[in-house]
Amino acid sequence: MKKILVTGSNGQIGFELVQHLRKTYGSDNVVATARKKAAGPVSEGGPFAFLDVRDGKMAGELLDSWRIDTVVHLAGILSARGEADPQLAWDTNMNGLCTMLEAARPRKCAFFFPSSIAAFGPGAPPENTPQDTIQRPSTIYGVTKVAGELLCDYYHLKYGLDTRGLRFPGLVSCAAPPGGGTTDYAVHIYYEAAAHGRYTSYIGKGSFMDMLYMPDALDAVVRLIEADPSRLRHRCAFNISAMSFDPEGIAESIRKVIPEFELSYEVDPVRQAIADSWPDSLDCSAAREEWGFAPRYDLDAMTRDMLQRVASR
Ligand code: AKB
C-alpha cells in the first residue's frame, strides 16, 4: 500500500484529493500537509502536519517519520494572484518545488506535479494544442509551470525519480473554493446562478478555455500515479481536459436548468489577458493512449451536478 504525503491540502484540489486518496489507499496512509490547519476532513479525517514547502528539513523529517513513498506536491500560487505578486509566485512555486524534489530524491519517493494550461503561451497553436509544442507563457505562473515540468523531467532523467504530472485546465468543483485563478469564474457562475439567477463575468464573451469537473480530475491523478511506467512516453506533464467553453457556453448550459439565468460582463483586463494567452482547446490523446484518461462529465452533466450540489449546500 502506498504512503502518500500531500502538500497544499487546503486548496481547491488538495481538499478533495486528500479525501479521495484516503478512500483509495486508507486514511492512515495519506498525510495531509498545509501551512495552516483548517477544521474539517483534511485535518480530522487522517494524519495532518504543518509544512511550509520551502522548508527542506521539515519536509525530510515528515517523509522519514511517516515512511512516505509518494509525494503529491500541490502547494502553489495560481495565475491571477501570481500576476499581482510575481516574486511570491516564483518563491512558492519554484523554491517550493525544488525543495520538495530534493527531499524526495534521496528517499526515492514517486513525485506528482500539477502543471497547467498556463504552461502554454500566445505562440502555441490555440486549437487542439498538441502535447508537445512551443511553450513560451506570458505569465509568471506559466513560467513556473514550464520550469516545473522541465525540472521534474530532469529529475527523472538524471536521478531516476518517478516524476509524473498533469496539465490541469480550469477545475470546477464546489467542496473548496478556488483562489487566485483565471478560470475561477466557471465556479463562481454556478453559485451566483443558484443564489441570484444572474452572474457578471470578468472573462469576456468568446474567450474559450479548457475545463474539467473535479471528480474526473481526482480520477486522473490516481490513474496517472498507478499507470504502468513502461507505457509512459511522457512524464511531466500530460494535457488533460473534458470540455472547452466560453462564458456564453456555460450560461447556455445553466439555462437548461434555470431558464431565466442572466449573464452580463465586466471584463477584468488582467485576467482577460491571461485567458487570451492560453489555449482554447487541448489535444489529450497522449493521456488517453499512455494511461487511459477517460473523463465522464461533459458540460451539461457537470452543470446538472454542480447546480444540485450548490443548491443543497
Ligand atoms: C488558474 O486559472 O490559474 C488555474 C489554472 C488553469 O491553472 N485554474
Side-chain angles (χ1 to χ4, degrees), residues 20-159:
H20 185 70
L21 293 173
R22 283 179 177 155
K23 270 193 209 125
T24 310
Y25 298 106
S27 298
D28 292 343
N29 295 323
V30 180
V31 181
T33 71
R35 290 179 66 189
K36 292 186 188 139
K37 191 168 187 166
V42 165
S43 63
E44 290 156 19
F48 176 87
F50 290 103
L51 178 62
D52 179 331
V53 292
R54 295 160 304 177
D55 183 344
K57 187 165 173 289
M58 174 66 83
E61 283 168 12
L62 285 175
L63 297 184
D64 287 339
S65 61
W66 290 98
R67 298 176 185 279
I68 298 296
D69 56 38
T70 304
V71 174
V72 175
H73 176 52
L74 301 178
I77 301 289
L78 294 186
S79 55
R81 180 139 182 254
E83 288 313 291
D85 193 343
Q87 286 72 25
L88 175 72
W90 180 266
D91 186 29
T92 308
N93 295 7
M94 286 320 300
N95 294 333
L97 175 61
C98 291
T99 303
M100 292 308 298
L101 280 169
E102 271 304 284
R105 179 165 70 92
R107 297 167 177 91
K108 300 183 171 35
C109 296
F111 197 96
F112 175 84
F113 169 69
S115 187
S116 162
I117 50 173
F120 297 109
E127 305 286 342
N128 209 27
T129 308
Q131 172 67 38
D132 301 308
T133 186
I134 185 165
Q135 290 181 262
R136 301 284 294 175
S138 49
T139 62
I140 188 68
Y141 175 63
V143 170
T144 66
K145 289 302 177 188
V146 179
E149 290 183 6
L150 293 172
L151 192 63
C152 288
D153 274 345
Y154 179 77
Y155 269 67
H156 177 63
L157 287 170
K158 174 92 176 167
Y159 303 119

Side-chain angles (χ1 to χ4, degrees), residues 12 78-80 115-118 141 168-171 180-184 278:
Q12 186 197 10
L78 294 186
S79 55
S115 187
S116 162
I117 50 173
Y141 175 63
F168 283 123
L171 295 181
T182 301
T183 57
D184 298 3
W278 289 353

Side-chain angles (χ1 to χ4, degrees), residues 34 47 61 149 179 184 196 226 241 270 303 305:
E61 283 168 12
E149 290 183 6
D184 298 3
H196 308 294
E226 291 291 344
S241 168
V270 174
T303 296
D305 200 57

Side-chain angles (χ1 to χ4, degrees), residues 92-288:
T92 308
N93 295 7
M94 286 320 300
N95 294 333
L97 175 61
C98 291
T99 303
M100 292 308 298
L101 280 169
E102 271 304 284
R105 179 165 70 92
R107 297 167 177 91
K108 300 183 171 35
C109 296
F111 197 96
F112 175 84
F113 169 69
S115 187
S116 162
I117 50 173
F120 297 109
E127 305 286 342
N128 209 27
T129 308
Q131 172 67 38
D132 301 308
T133 186
I134 185 165
Q135 290 181 262
R136 301 284 294 175
S138 49
T139 62
I140 188 68
Y141 175 63
V143 170
T144 66
K145 289 302 177 188
V146 179
E149 290 183 6
L150 293 172
L151 192 63
C152 288
D153 274 345
Y154 179 77
Y155 269 67
H156 177 63
L157 287 170
K158 174 92 176 167
Y159 303 119
L161 209 66
D162 185 0
T163 53
R164 304 177 185 200
L166 297 172
R167 290 186 186 128
F168 283 123
L171 295 181
V172 177
S173 67
C174 65
T182 301
T183 57
D184 298 3
Y185 93 90
V187 175
H188 301 156
I189 195 168
Y190 287 115
Y191 280 90
E192 293 300 308
H196 308 294
R198 75 179 82 91
Y199 178 68
T200 304
S201 176
Y202 60 77
I203 293 294
K205 198 173 182 166
S207 289
F208 284 78
M209 287 185 277
D210 286 281
M211 302 279 173
L212 186 66
Y213 197 32
M214 188 60 88
D216 285 329
L218 304 179
D219 180 63
V221 173
V222 173
R223 276 184 199 233
L224 179 59
I225 287 177
E226 291 291 344
D228 173 356
S230 68
R231 288 183 60 199
L232 299 182
R233 280 197 311 108
H234 298 86
R235 285 255 161 196
C236 306
F238 287 90
N239 286 359
I240 56 165
S241 168
M243 59 196 99
S244 165
F245 54 76
D246 77 334
E248 294 294 321
I250 190 170
E252 203 49 47
S253 178
I254 290 171
R255 281 190 202 106
K256 291 178 187 165
V257 184
I258 307 173
E260 62 284 5
F261 176 68
E262 286 173 22
L263 177 65
S264 56
Y265 293 92
E266 255 173 51
V267 172
D268 166 19
V270 174
R271 285 178 287 189
Q272 184 62 48
I274 296 173
D276 288 345
S277 76
W278 289 353
D280 294 350
S281 63
L282 296 182
D283 170 8
C284 304
S285 51
R288 283 196 298 274

